[in-house]
Amino acid sequence: MGFVGKVLVAHPNLDSPFFRQSVIFVYEDIERQGSQGIILNKPSRFPVKQIFEAKGYDVDYPEMVHRGGPINEKSVSLLHSGDWTSTNTYPIGNYSLSSDQFMIEKMSTGNAPTNWRLVGGVCGWGPGQLQAEIEGSLPHTKNKNWLTVPTTDRILFEYDGDEQWRYGLEIASQQMVDQYF
């Protein structure tokens, strides 16, 4: 289906406690199985360095692990630029998602992608659910939950937290203006 590789920006009216003001990268969208993605702008309190130390590696990455979603929160995935691979790397357009022990080992030696974000957990939607949330066709609400914006290095990696969400809203607003004028 059509949402793989897209960036979702939470609509300002979305008041879900977990997904409020989220920016999500969709990495899977299969008609009969549903969709999966990772939240990009919700840093946890855990430094990336802690994950490496738990595996016996001493690194100097100042980044924080991000909360990728409420499903399987202890699983760690790396969203990264397509210039790098590991043993379990899944390409998605110009980007990739890796999730394996070897990625930690490679990065511990300084062999890291140009751009990356480490997340724990994923988001999931049942078949047709994501499309309904984007279109605003859910039975219990007439509001759209998600705005879609183009996927760029800037939206994926250069911002974080509320600033990343606000940047996504700016892009979505500009798209609407461009569409009508």
Side-chain angles (χ1 to χ4, degrees), residues 14 125-146:
L14 179 63
W125 296 266
Q129 183 183 358
L130 180 57
Q131 184 164 352
E133 288 186 19
I134 289 171
E135 294 172 351
S137 59
L138 293 171
H140 60 280
T141 180
K142 291 188 173 34
N143 293 330
K144 295 180 179 188
N145 288 349
W146 304 104

Side-chain angles (χ1 to χ4, degrees), residues 9 34 50 54 74 84 94 103 128 133 151 158 163 174 176:
V9 177
Q50 230 175 2
K74 295 203 185 291
W84 187 88
N94 295 328
M103 72 182 190
E133 288 186 19
T151 306
E158 291 183 23
E163 185 181 33
Q174 187 60 53
M176 283 199 243

Side-chain angles (χ1 to χ4, degrees), residues 21-119:
Q21 297 184 344
S22 290
V23 176
I24 297 176
F25 178 77
V26 178
Y27 65 86
E28 185 174 86
D29 189 20
I30 301 171
E31 191 171 350
R32 291 200 163 113
Q33 294 177 0
S35 308
Q36 290 193 327
I38 51 174
I39 298 173
L40 300 173
N41 68 324
K42 305 279 182 171
S44 71
R45 293 189 201 120
F46 300 102
V48 166
K49 185 177 182 170
Q50 230 175 2
I51 289 185
F52 284 83
E53 287 173 350
K55 303 286 185 187
Y57 301 110
D58 185 27
V59 297
D60 195 26
Y61 292 122
E63 294 85 355
M64 301 303 276
V65 175
H66 283 69
R67 297 179 66 209
I71 301 168
N72 214 9
E73 290 183 282
K74 295 203 185 291
S75 71
V76 176
S77 300
L78 184 74
L79 175 66
H80 57 89
S81 47
D83 61 347
W84 187 88
T85 61
S86 190
T87 54
N88 186 24
T89 297
Y90 179 66
I92 308 148
N94 295 328
Y95 304 96
S96 295
L97 192 66
S98 295
S99 183
D100 58 58
Q101 175 63 36
F102 189 53
M103 72 182 190
I104 301 292
E105 186 178 326
K106 279 180 80 168
M107 290 179 70
S108 73
T109 66
N111 181 352
T114 303
N115 295 303
W116 57 274
R117 186 152 296 173
L118 197 65
V119 300

